[in-house]
Each structure stands twice: as structure tokens, then as C-alpha cells.
Amino acid sequence: MQTEEDHEHVKASGGVSANTFGVALIAFICVAIAISSSCNKGKNRSNGQNQPALKATSRHIPPDAWEAPDSTAIPVGKAGDMIRYGKELLAHTARYFGPNGSVAKISNGMNCQNCHLDGGRRLFGNNYASFIATYPKMNNRSGKIDQPADRIVQCFNRSLAGHAPDTNGREVRAMLAYLKWIGQGVKKGRKLFGAASEKLAYLDHPANPVKGKVVFVSKCKVCHGSNGEGLFAGDKKSYTYPPLWGEHSYNNGAGMYRIGNLAGFVKNNMPFGATYQNPQLTDEEAWNVAAFVNSQPRPHFDQRKDWKDLKTKPVDFPFGPYADGFSEKQHKYGPFKPIAAAQKVPTNKKS
């Protein structure tokens, strides 16, 4: 109606100069935009469904954050050769241990680097900053004291859904040499900003796999495939983008099968190009897409010997029995705050 009235007014003002007409037209457009904006704001206030989606915001990295040493500083000689070989093994694990591996055929075709990004160098990319410094340490999952080589074995058994390599062999020794080199100077017990993965604040409600699928389809499938099958590298021996579910993905005994671990990893690194400083997903989107990915089928790992002390089970461990009265579903998707309160463990908060 407003448009028709103004149109008739313009027609009646045929004798007005072109400049006057132009000014009047511009004024009319501004008024129309203001009215439209006011109406839309009213709709947004009255109907939450019309609210614009929350966006991830940029974040600051403190000056004392962990920074990986420069690879060009790896020393020359035999010691440096072992470090470089270890780096190569972690970056292209499948070439050596995959289904067509040159050393042994004992893994699913994924690379360690698929979960430990940039060879374990990336801030909050599940990096290796504190790896060596934390060992030997008590592993509540196994109930025993672990050495660094034990952790490599667990990754092969769970994340690579395969079998343990020879821990006395050259390959494992090379991996350990690289892990020691990349964590140089990190003292045991020191808290580093950016080490391993970020622990996101718990949601007040369960993570939603259905909403997570929407995020996956719009943000993730271009790299990981419509069916989470991943993308093979040119050599057809390993993955450029790893499978997120299915027979060649991590099994349900892997650390990534806990959605708290996966959500923190996703938030800081996914989709491609995301970083801690400039994430592309909100916390809730990260939780939801983690819930969707871990709702999909994958290999099973026998975990009957895990977590002998039920009180040490993480709040997001998705298999019972538990020391509390919460269901497996709530332990898998949340909400986790009530579980944490019952276990009297610290509740994840925004840092």
C-alpha cells in the first residue's frame, strides 16, 4: 500500500525537476528500508525461529601459547634421520602399516596425522606438545602405568582399528624420537595453552545428532563424503580426508568416540580452514556434528577390560556399567552437567 501511494504521488508531480525527483526517490527508499527493518526486528523479537543463526567468533591466542619447533631445525646425522623417519611415519602411516603397507599390514588405512593434525603441530589440533612429558603415567582406562610406546599401541588398536606394531622395532623407536623432539622443553606437569584438544563447555541439553547431520551435510561432506567414507590420496594407500565412520574409520574404543573429545577437535579444526583463532562453527554446532558422526556405524572394539574402577570413567564414555544412575544414552549425548555433578568432577566451562 505504501508503495502504491508513493507511486501515485510521483506521477502527480510530473512537473518537478529531475533533481527534486531523484532526492524524493532516495528519501522514499530510505523510509521503506527503515520500515522493513523495523518490521523484521519486531518479528525476530516475537518469534525465536526468525532469529539469525549464532556465528562463531574470533578468539585470541595468548603470547605464551605452545608453538611447535621448526622442522628445519631437526638435526643432521643419525638422530635427525630417526626424527624425520618418525615424522614421516606419523604423517603417512598407511604407507607403512595400512592395508597395503610396506612394513606391515596392520591398520585401517588412516594416518596418525588424520587426528593429530600437521604431524601433531597444530594448536588444539590434538597435538603432541605434552605427549612425552606426561609419561610414564597412570592410565585409568587400562588400570596400569603406561609408557609412551603403550600409547602408540593403543592408537593402533583403537584409532587405526588394527593391531599393535613391534614396540622394539625401528618404526616405533622413530615415532618416539619425533614425539620427544616435538615436545622438547616441555616440563612434566606444565599446563600449556593449546596442547592436545580443547575441552568445550558442556551444553545444558543433549547434543543433537539430527541437527548435527545438517551441519555435516553443509560443512563436512565435501571432504569426508556423503557417507563419511573419506577421500583417498593419489597413491590409493591412505586418506587425504579420513573416513568418519564405516569399516575403515576409528572403532568405538577410540578416544574420538567420546563426543567431548571429538567436539573440541571439530570446533578448532573443522571444516577445512578453521582454526582456534577463527572457528567456523559454534560450540553447539561442534557438539551436534560430533554426536551425528559418532551415531554412525563403525568397527567394534572389545572394551570389557577397560575402566575396572567405574568411578574413573569419563562422563562422556558411552558404554556401561557406571558408578552412577545415568543411562548410556545420556553418557553418550548428554546433558553432562548432571553427571559431572554426581561424580563431583569439574564441569567444563568457557575459558
Side-chain angles (χ1 to χ4, degrees):
M1 183 182 297
Q2 180 70 30
T3 303
E4 292 177 355
E5 290 175 355
D6 283 302
H7 181 61
E8 292 299 320
H9 176 73
V10 171
K11 287 173 63 178
S13 304
V16 183
S17 69
N19 288 339
T20 304
F21 173 76
V23 172
L25 181 59
I26 292 171
F28 161 68
I29 291 172
C30 292
V31 171
I33 291 173
I35 292 172
S36 175
S37 176
S38 176
C39 292
N40 287 335
K41 287 180 180 179
K43 288 181 181 178
N44 287 340
R45 284 193 296 268
S46 62
N47 185 352
Q49 293 181 348
N50 291 322
Q51 293 277 9
L54 294 176
K55 300 296 182 183
T57 56
S58 60
R59 299 186 289 180
H60 173 69
I61 297 178
D64 60 345
W66 178 75
E67 186 174 352
D70 191 336
S71 294
T72 60
I74 295 175
V76 298
K78 291 183 178 179
D81 290 343
M82 283 293 278
I83 294 169
R84 277 182 284 272
Y85 185 39
K87 181 176 183 289
E88 167 66 12
L89 288 163
L90 293 166
H92 303 107
T93 317
R95 293 180 185 175
Y96 304 90
F97 293 110
N100 297 304
S102 60
V103 175
K105 298 173 175 60
I106 57 174
S107 75
N108 58 6
M110 290 176 65
N111 302 313
C112 296
Q113 185 170 252
N114 291 144
C115 293
H116 303 277
L117 301 182
D118 297 341
R121 300 169 55 84
R122 188 180 296 185
L123 197 75
F124 286 127
N126 212 13
N127 61 55
Y128 298 131
S130 301
F131 181 85
I132 291 295
T134 58
Y135 287 92
K137 70 177 180 180
M138 180 66 185
N139 183 335
N140 289 327
R141 183 170 64 186
S142 66
K144 65 177 185 178
I145 302 294
D146 276 355
Q147 301 295 331
D150 295 321
R151 187 69 182 93
I152 292 176
V153 167
Q154 292 162 21
C155 283
F156 269 81
N157 287 338
R158 296 168 186 260
S159 298
L160 299 181
H163 305 286
D166 179 4
T167 55
N168 294 314
R170 180 169 179 259
E171 284 67 35
V172 171
R173 288 187 287 112
M175 290 180 187
L176 292 173
Y178 174 72
L179 293 168
K180 182 177 180 180
W181 176 82
I182 202 171
Q184 59 186 279
V186 178
K187 303 295 184 181
K188 190 175 183 66
R190 177 186 170 191
K191 290 187 177 181
L192 294 175
F193 181 88
S197 304
E198 184 183 13
K199 298 297 183 184
L200 299 184
Y202 294 139
L203 301 177
D204 292 325
H205 51 274
N208 190 320
V210 175
K211 291 183 178 180
K213 182 178 181 179
V214 176
V215 177
F216 178 85
V217 169
S218 64
K219 302 282 188 178
C220 312
K221 79 171 187 177
V222 65
C223 291
H224 296 285
S226 299
N227 298 309
E229 69 274 18
L231 177 67
F232 262 125
D235 60 9
K236 301 298 182 183
K237 293 182 178 180
S238 61
Y239 289 93
T240 300
Y241 301 111
L244 299 184
W245 63 85
E247 62 178 333
H248 298 294
S249 187
Y250 58 87
N251 63 39
N252 62 11
M256 285 293 195
Y257 194 64
R258 289 171 46 199
I259 68 167
N261 290 340
L262 183 55
F265 179 83
V266 166
K267 169 73 177 184
N268 291 284
N269 303 286
M270 300 295 146
F272 186 80
T275 63
Y276 173 82
Q277 281 182 293
N278 295 293
Q280 298 184 31
L281 302 178
T282 64
D283 283 9
E284 183 159 358
E285 287 173 328
W287 279 105
N288 288 341
V289 77
F292 168 69
V293 168
N294 281 347
S295 71
Q296 301 304 300
R298 64 188 63 256
H300 174 67
F301 183 79
D302 186 353
Q303 300 172 63
R304 287 176 294 180
K305 295 182 180 180
D306 289 353
W307 309 105
K308 294 178 181 178
D309 182 357
L310 298 181
K311 294 179 181 179
T312 64
K313 272 190 175 182
V315 297
D316 60 345
F317 191 78
F319 300 116
Y322 304 108
D324 54 57
F326 298 93
S327 67
E328 282 191 348
K329 184 176 181 180
Q330 184 163 348
H331 275 280
K332 185 171 183 177
Y333 298 122
F336 298 114
K337 286 182 180 179
I339 303 175
Q343 294 183 5
K344 296 181 180 180
V345 298
T347 299
N348 284 2
K349 296 180 179 179
K350 271 292 194 183
S351 58

